[in-house]
Amino acid sequence: MKYAYYNNKKTHAKEVNSGSIGTDLWFKDYKVIACVGKYRQYWKYIGDKPDLPNGYEPETEWHAAWKSSLLDESCEVICGANREHRADIKTQDFVIEIQKCRIDGWAVIERNRFYKELTGNRLVWIVNVEDAWKNKRISTKLDNSAKDGRFIIKWNRAWKWVEEMAITTDTYLFLDFNPQNDKMIYTWIHDKKMFGAWYPKVKFFNKYLKGIAKPEFDDIRFIELFKEL
């Protein structure tokens, strides 16, 4: 995790010295220690960690790239009257969840419901499918019956939890097939077929993230974060 409470303030790990002690944003009874290196800065639990809900995962450079351009108060936001969830990114209108590791399908359904009730809008998922793409388990074929450039996605041994995201109207799903590429795949399921359309990351930034970006970031600098991965 990038943030913790330090001196009663939400603080990014890079803002303190390595070895500094803080407390978890989500579970305030748990102490965390800052690990500050040249390339990675993060907080980790000291001793036992809390029993996290299904699907919450360690921070990676890919996760960090999505958050690096954004204001601190919009990242890792604790949500719900009973602090049920920690949103990766929260804007005024949307919650954006960034997922790389496996998550149970029931957890997907619950999170979709929770955030839609919280914001009144669909939950936005960004899922890293880089390994499946590299291993050619995912392929695309142009849908000749459509005029909008959509294509049919063939996914050998598709992840059921991603299908759960794609089939519901409670989400917007984007597949990040190559983090260094300047596009993602906007994805949905209709009549038991998975469809996709290319979606520029610049467009995603301008639609969802521009309003919560740090002043020094524009869409060009945002894209540069991924080229450094």
Side-chain angles (χ1 to χ4, degrees), residues 11 14 33 90 114 119 124 137 142 148 151 155 169 186:
T11 306
K14 67 183 179 183
I33 186 170
K90 187 176 185 301
F114 176 87
T119 66
V124 180
R137 287 170 45 210
L142 190 64
D148 56 2
F151 45 82
W155 189 342
T169 58
Y186 173 55

Side-chain angles (χ1 to χ4, degrees), residues 143-191:
D143 182 3
N144 293 322
S145 65
K147 298 180 180 180
D148 56 2
R150 73 178 63 182
F151 45 82
I152 298 171
I153 299 173
K154 298 291 185 181
W155 189 342
N156 184 27
R157 304 193 309 278
W159 299 332
K160 297 299 182 183
W161 53 276
V162 176
E163 292 181 331
E164 192 69 54
M165 296 171 183
I167 200 168
T168 178
T169 58
D170 289 341
T171 68
Y172 295 114
L173 172 62
F174 298 87
L175 302 182
D176 197 355
F177 63 95
N178 178 355
Q180 293 182 317
N181 197 288
D182 61 0
K183 295 187 293 294
M184 295 187 290
I185 302 175
Y186 173 55
T187 307
W188 68 96
I189 289 177
H190 179 68
D191 287 342

Side-chain angles (χ1 to χ4, degrees), residues 105-122:
W106 289 113
V108 170
I109 293 172
E110 191 278 331
R111 215 178 293 186
N112 292 344
R113 177 201 57 77
F114 176 87
Y115 283 123
K116 190 170 185 181
E117 289 180 358
L118 180 72
T119 66
N121 288 310
R122 298 186 186 193

Side-chain angles (χ1 to χ4, degrees), residues 6 24 60 71 86 89 107 117 119 122 141 161 194 199:
Y6 182 77
D24 185 21
T60 66
L71 298 171
R86 182 184 65 204
I89 300 169
E117 289 180 358
T119 66
R122 298 186 186 193
K141 180 181 179 181
W161 53 276
M194 183 175 283
Y199 200 97

Side-chain angles (χ1 to χ4, degrees), residues 93-150:
D93 299 313
F94 291 96
V95 165
I96 301 167
E97 290 286 77
I98 309 166
Q99 195 72 25
K100 188 172 184 180
C101 77
R102 188 178 300 275
I103 177 174
D104 183 79
W106 289 113
V108 170
I109 293 172
E110 191 278 331
R111 215 178 293 186
N112 292 344
R113 177 201 57 77
F114 176 87
Y115 283 123
K116 190 170 185 181
E117 289 180 358
L118 180 72
T119 66
N121 288 310
R122 298 186 186 193
L123 174 57
V124 180
W125 288 97
I126 304 172
V127 177
N128 187 311
V129 295
E130 183 178 11
D131 289 343
W133 184 268
K134 285 182 177 179
N135 294 332
K136 301 187 184 303
R137 287 170 45 210
I138 299 177
S139 60
T140 63
K141 180 181 179 181
L142 190 64
D143 182 3
N144 293 322
S145 65
K147 298 180 180 180
D148 56 2
R150 73 178 63 182

Side-chain angles (χ1 to χ4, degrees), residues 38 60-61 68 74 93 105 132 140 155 208:
K38 181 177 180 180
T60 66
E61 295 297 332
S68 294
S74 298
D93 299 313
T140 63
W155 189 342
Y208 293 106

